[in-house]
Amino acid sequence: MSYSPDGQYQPPYRPEGRSPQPQPPYGRPPQGGNPGQQPYGRPGYGGPQQGRPQGGQPPYGQDPYGYEAPTQAQPRFEQQQYEQQQYDHYEPPYGEPPRRKSKAKKWIIAGVTVLALCGIGAGVMAYFDIPPFTDKGESVSFGKPGDGQGGAAKQAPNSKMSMPTNPTAQFKNESSLSDGTKVAVTEVTGKKSGFKGKVWVWAPKEYNDPKFAKSGFPVMIALPGGAGYPRNYWMGTDLKLQASISKWYSEGKSKPFILAMPVLNPQPDEPKAIYWDGSDIPDQPKMGTWLTDDVPDLMRENFRTIKSRDGWAFMGSSTGGFASLKAVLKYPDKFKAAICSGPDIVPDSPLWKGHEKEKAENNPELLAKQLIDKKGPDVYLAFQVGDHESNKETLPNVQKFISTYTKGPIHTSLRVIAGGEHNAKTYVPNMGEGPIEYISKVMEGPVE
């Protein structure tokens, strides 16, 4: 249907010989219309019988529906222009139903929208660990029946590996990695320290490989910086420590370490900056015993490990770097190596006040001197420090320690990270550029 600029209906001009314009539905125009107007909005319309001869074609100049058309012929040029305008502006008859193609398009758009919303919703629910879109909290079992779990299988007397000794801890899944491995968590009450805290664990995919079913794996105890409570930030897969261990092993740089990631302190250290140095400070929770006895015991109870100190190491950043350094120097018969990133060199907890003797017993400088005097056993310390550390004394202090105590049984390496800052995101990638390879060369595993 076509309208003139003022909104009035313009009947199409049809010279004889042209096909008639499309008919209204059911062969006749609708009756009625808007109040006060003739049907189709044209004055003078008298209905289908008005001004139309019975049968045959209407006379020239008369509308095929019975409209009164102009009686005076228009010039040919104007006729063509008028006719073309009608074809260019043709609209479907009144009441024509919507096309199926439009409906199909709407359904497709609606379906895509629903799927997109479902995908977004599932992602959000997985991010916030809402079942069934996450496996967080599900039970995790490390090892398989028949691999000697629980000490069921017999070992050769000269075996270097240690079967799990039990009791088995109840591990719950914390997060899943793309290679199918799990970071799991359990809560432990230390038999020697009496401290109750969480420990996160992760085993590389090789641990469940049938090829290594009778092999013991090396263990690395990974300590965070700061308070290290209520979470150990190494358990978060965003730092990619676990994925990096697997990658470095595939590149021949690293051992396939099992990671133990315990809380470092018994509670937050804010707002008074009270922390525990990973040590047994008098009248405080025994965090030193927790880290060097209870956590290793947990790993021996639940994993195939290595009997000797050749399969045990620490790593840590900042406060965790200090605790790692101290643990290896204080207990060289238990642990062989440590990676210390941006560490403190001396104990500095305010809780040491009034306990100078105990503080000296936990000072890495004094412990290093004693180890040199005793002439062993050998330990391997891989330091890495950024040249943009927040504490400008960190790098000079580490360099001084290395120059003073690298002798006899103490072996060291130092990686200075160009542009490196005091954070885990700086330290993890750079571990693969030297430190992890340095300690892996002197450690064992997997072994039978």
Side-chain angles (χ1 to χ4, degrees):
M1 190 178 293
S2 180
Y3 293 86
S4 65
D6 63 359
Q8 295 298 320
Y9 170 76
Q10 296 292 320
Y13 176 82
R14 185 185 64 79
E16 290 190 9
R18 302 290 295 186
S19 299
Q21 296 295 315
Q23 296 292 322
Y26 306 106
R28 62 178 295 165
Q31 299 298 319
N34 295 333
Q37 293 185 349
Q38 295 289 344
Y40 292 86
R42 168 160 166 68
Y45 175 76
Q49 303 302 323
Q50 197 174 49
R52 175 180 179 129
Q54 298 295 323
Q57 296 292 328
Y60 178 83
Q62 190 171 18
D63 184 79
Y65 297 155
Y67 300 112
E68 293 181 5
T71 57
Q72 183 177 357
Q74 299 182 19
R76 181 64 181 166
F77 175 77
E78 293 182 9
Q79 292 174 10
Q80 293 175 341
Q81 187 179 38
Y82 183 83
E83 180 181 357
Q84 183 63 43
Q85 184 181 18
Q86 302 311 307
Y87 283 101
D88 290 344
H89 293 83
Y90 170 73
E91 294 182 12
Y94 176 82
E96 180 175 329
R99 297 179 180 179
R100 288 186 178 181
K101 184 176 181 180
S102 298
K103 277 188 175 182
K105 186 176 181 181
K106 289 179 180 178
W107 278 110
I108 291 171
I109 293 173
V112 170
T113 302
V114 170
L115 289 174
L117 291 174
C118 289
I120 293 171
V124 171
M125 295 177 79
Y127 179 81
F128 289 103
D129 300 314
I130 302 174
F133 298 97
T134 179
D135 56 359
K136 183 175 180 178
E138 293 182 358
S139 295
V140 175
S141 177
F142 293 97
K144 298 177 180 178
D147 67 357
Q149 190 86 309
K154 291 183 179 181
Q155 270 182 267
N158 60 347
S159 174
K160 292 183 177 181
M161 66 93 73
S162 174
M163 288 291 185
T165 60
N166 281 339
T168 302
Q170 298 299 311
F171 290 105
K172 299 293 183 181
N173 188 37
E174 182 72 23
S175 59
S176 299
L177 278 68
S178 59
D179 64 357
T181 58
K182 312 280 187 183
V183 177
V185 63
T186 191
E187 193 165 44
V188 181
T189 300
K191 296 181 178 67
K192 297 177 182 177
S193 69
F195 173 72
K196 183 178 182 180
K198 289 183 177 180
V199 182
W200 290 264
V201 298
W202 172 83
K205 61 182 179 181
E206 288 77 18
Y207 187 81
N208 284 324
D209 187 331
K211 182 172 65 174
F212 296 107
K214 296 181 180 180
S215 298
F217 281 69
V219 175
M220 179 179 285
I221 301 173
L223 305 180
Y229 183 94
R231 297 163 73 86
N232 177 321
Y233 57 56
W234 295 118
M235 49 70 62
T237 55
D238 56 322
L239 293 173
K240 296 182 171 57
L241 176 60
Q242 295 84 2
S244 295
I245 294 290
S246 292
K247 175 177 177 290
W248 296 330
Y249 175 64
S250 69
E251 296 172 347
K253 295 179 179 180
S254 174
K255 298 295 184 184
F257 291 101
I258 301 172
L259 294 178
M261 299 164 278
V263 294
L264 178 60
N265 285 331
Q267 63 188 58
D269 60 14
E270 297 297 340
K272 297 182 180 180
I274 297 175
Y275 40 95
W276 286 259
D277 279 349
S279 304
D280 289 358
I281 301 176
D283 304 320
Q284 302 295 333
K286 295 182 177 181
M287 301 313 297
T289 301
W290 158 257
L291 296 175
T292 59
D293 282 307
D294 293 331
V295 172
D297 285 348
L298 170 72
M299 303 308 289
R300 291 189 183 93
E301 290 167 356
N302 291 274
F303 293 89
R304 303 187 308 274
T305 57
I306 297 173
K307 290 179 179 179
S308 74
R309 72 190 193 101
D310 293 335
W312 295 85
F314 272 88
M315 68 149 284
S317 58
S318 192
T319 301
F322 166 82
S324 298
L325 174 63
K326 178 176 68 70
V328 173
L329 291 172
K330 190 170 184 177
Y331 301 106
D333 55 328
K334 295 181 180 181
F335 310 103
K336 191 172 187 177
I339 297 176
C340 309
S341 304
D344 300 320
I345 297 299
V346 296
D348 59 355
S349 170
L351 297 173
W352 287 115
K353 185 177 181 180
H355 305 288
E356 296 304 317
K357 177 179 177 294
E358 291 83 359
K359 182 178 180 180
E361 293 171 352
N362 289 274
N363 186 327
E365 293 181 334
L366 298 179
L367 291 169
K369 185 178 183 302
Q370 292 170 12
L371 185 59
I372 293 170
D373 292 342
K374 290 191 299 183
K375 300 182 179 180
D378 291 90
V379 295
Y380 297 82
L381 308 173
F383 294 92
Q384 57 175 2
V385 183
D387 60 7
H388 282 68
E389 295 273 345
S390 53
N391 182 353
K392 302 304 180 184
E393 297 301 314
T394 300
L395 181 55
N397 288 341
V398 169
Q399 290 172 327
K400 180 182 177 182
F401 179 91
I402 289 173
S403 64
T404 304
Y405 300 106
T406 303
K407 61 184 71 173
I410 299 179
H411 308 270
T412 64
S413 72
L414 172 62
R415 175 174 173 77
V416 178
I417 305 168
E421 299 178 348
H422 191 74
N423 57 56
K425 290 183 178 179
T426 290
Y427 301 139
V428 172
N430 284 280
M431 281 175 59
E433 300 301 321
I436 196 72
E437 192 169 11
Y438 178 77
I439 69 166
S440 293
K441 286 180 179 179
V442 298
M443 299 188 69
E444 290 191 335
V447 296
E448 293 187 9

